[in-house]
Amino acid sequence: MPKATNAVSETPTRRRVLIAGAGLGLTVTACTRDADPPEDARGPGFHGLRQAGVTTPRQATALLLAYDLDPVLRGAAGVRALKAVLGAWTHALAETLESDSSRAARLTATLGIGPALPARLGLRAPAALRDLPVFTGDRLDPDRCGGDLLMQLCADTADATEAIAATLTRLAGETLYPRWRQDGFLPPSPDGGTTPRNLLGFQDGPANPTPEECERWVWSGNATYLVVRRVHLRLEDFARLAVHRQEEIIGRDRSTGGPLDGGPSTGGPEDAAPPRSHVRAVSPRLDAGARMLRRGYSYADGPTDQGMLFLAFMRDPALFARVQRRMAAQDELSGFTEARGSAVAYILPGARTGRPLGAELLG
């Protein structure tokens, strides 16, 4: 029987995290306008043509769960076993997410499949589903990477995500085995503002796509792709820099999140940013306008390992690979970051009445 791996060490309290990273949070961007699909596509509650948790406004906490299919299950036998689990998951998620308590916590569950799963089941893989390459500067821990199935759970309370996570793992039985898990949170803004900051102290600003741009760059029909990167941050080294030097590296004003020239935060911050700034390296202009939708969180796995749980949805993960290569080559922020975990997943269409999650893939 495969050995389950729990790659997350004990997480310190939120108070301890904020003390350790006082003044060091950088916000992980929120949508310019968080884009819910129209009601006829999304449907009320859990069921809908698209899964929630992609364009849903960000909740306060996140929990990522990766599972592997039992190695003895392949081909038709694997399909049957996985269909049984996904059917049970769909029933449990519908029952839980449509309860009053889960609605109050804004609980969402978003399921994707990893690159290796289709071949093991003898199925045709989605066109853009492939492993990410290893990038310059990565120091990946295999126990924190990959997975045959990836579940993103988000809610305004960690209790809500932990409760449904326990249910899903129990229902997986011996068909699926936990591979890794990672939790994340949105730190409160130290200045009392409504926009949270991540552990470097900056707001990223309104850099996410609009609802209309999501239709073009994020959704592929009713599916999309998710890239997960667990990025360790050298917080103490960054904190030693003068604020003006931090601003040069990020390419934004620290206090406002706007461009360094004092212009409106909605208007091309890269125009006022230094050539080797983070804002310049990730500019959509360098990818013919292609955008990704970021729903990132901070993480804290002890005082020596804090950073960013980068979650990004896009039509094709090749976009992330292009941006990451530019960052490695020209982004000064890369000197303060180190990817230690990585995964990519095809986010399945939503569940509908009589058609559980995975029905389009598994038949």
Side-chain angles (χ1 to χ4, degrees):
M1 179 179 295
K3 181 180 179 181
T5 299
N6 185 348
V8 178
S9 58
E10 182 179 356
T11 302
T13 65
R14 185 68 52 84
R15 172 179 170 83
R16 181 174 166 192
V17 169
L18 295 177
I19 292 174
L24 299 179
L26 166 68
T27 185
V28 190
T29 53
C31 286
T32 307
R33 287 182 291 155
D34 287 306
D36 273 1
E39 191 66 24
D40 60 349
R42 181 170 50 88
F46 171 70
H47 292 93
L49 297 180
R50 294 173 176 173
Q51 294 191 70
V54 179
T55 55
T56 305
R58 270 188 310 169
Q59 302 96 315
T61 69
L63 176 60
L64 272 290
L65 305 171
Y67 297 88
D68 281 340
L69 187 67
D70 186 329
V72 305
L73 294 172
R74 307 184 70 88
V79 170
R80 288 193 298 270
L82 186 56
K83 285 178 69 173
V85 170
L86 294 189
W89 279 10
T90 298
H91 177 77
L93 288 169
E95 188 175 68
T96 300
L97 270 62
E98 294 180 358
S99 68
D100 290 341
S101 60
S102 292
R103 288 179 183 271
R106 297 196 301 138
L107 176 64
T108 59
T110 313
L111 177 64
I113 63 166
L117 184 64
R120 288 188 52 196
L121 298 179
L123 303 173
R124 183 175 180 179
L129 182 59
R130 61 187 68 89
D131 284 317
L132 293 171
V134 176
F135 300 103
T136 301
D138 283 1
R139 199 180 81 181
L140 300 178
D141 178 352
D143 288 339
R144 295 181 184 269
C145 295
D148 289 332
L149 280 89
L150 190 65
M151 177 67 78
Q152 173 195 270
L153 302 171
C154 296
D156 285 331
T157 67
D159 288 345
T161 58
E162 288 290 351
I164 190 60
T167 297
L168 296 176
T169 299
R170 174 178 57 81
L171 292 173
E174 294 189 355
T175 298
L176 300 173
Y177 293 92
R179 180 178 178 88
W180 56 265
R181 56 178 281 157
Q182 180 66 56
D183 60 358
F185 60 92
L186 295 181
S189 177
D191 55 9
T194 58
T195 302
R197 297 171 180 260
N198 82 10
L199 299 179
L200 291 175
F202 284 76
Q203 299 178 19
D204 275 344
N208 262 339
T210 65
E212 295 77 16
E213 290 170 332
C214 284
E215 293 300 320
R216 180 178 181 185
W217 300 116
V218 176
W219 293 108
S220 179
N222 294 318
T224 184
Y225 292 86
L226 169 63
V227 169
V228 178
R229 301 279 282 180
R230 183 182 182 277
V231 183
H232 171 79
L233 296 174
R234 291 171 47 203
L235 297 175
E236 293 184 0
D237 292 340
F238 192 83
R240 292 190 187 101
L241 302 175
V243 171
H244 74 86
R245 179 63 183 133
Q246 294 179 3
E247 292 176 330
E248 289 176 346
I249 292 172
I250 300 298
R252 286 185 180 273
D253 183 281
R254 177 168 170 152
S255 61
T256 67
L260 290 178
D261 62 1
S265 61
T266 56
E270 62 266 37
D271 292 340
R276 294 181 58 80
S277 67
H278 178 67
V279 165
R280 280 286 186 97
V282 302
S283 173
R285 297 179 187 177
L286 301 178
D287 292 292
R291 313 292 298 275
M292 62 182 78
L293 172 62
R294 291 176 285 172
R295 285 176 55 86
Y297 291 83
S298 296
Y299 77 83
D301 291 343
T304 62
D305 187 10
Q306 301 178 39
M308 178 182 293
L309 179 57
F310 177 87
L311 309 174
F313 296 89
M314 64 208 76
R315 182 182 288 265
D316 186 343
L319 169 61
F320 174 80
R322 293 195 301 270
V323 174
Q324 186 63 36
R325 290 189 183 100
R326 284 203 306 270
M327 289 174 59
Q330 67 187 60
D331 185 357
E332 286 192 300
L333 183 59
S334 295
F336 299 88
T337 67
E338 183 178 75
R340 296 184 177 179
S342 183
V344 62
Y346 171 75
I347 301 302
L348 300 163
R352 288 171 282 166
T353 302
R355 290 183 63 80
L357 289 170
E360 288 81 359
L361 176 74
L362 302 175

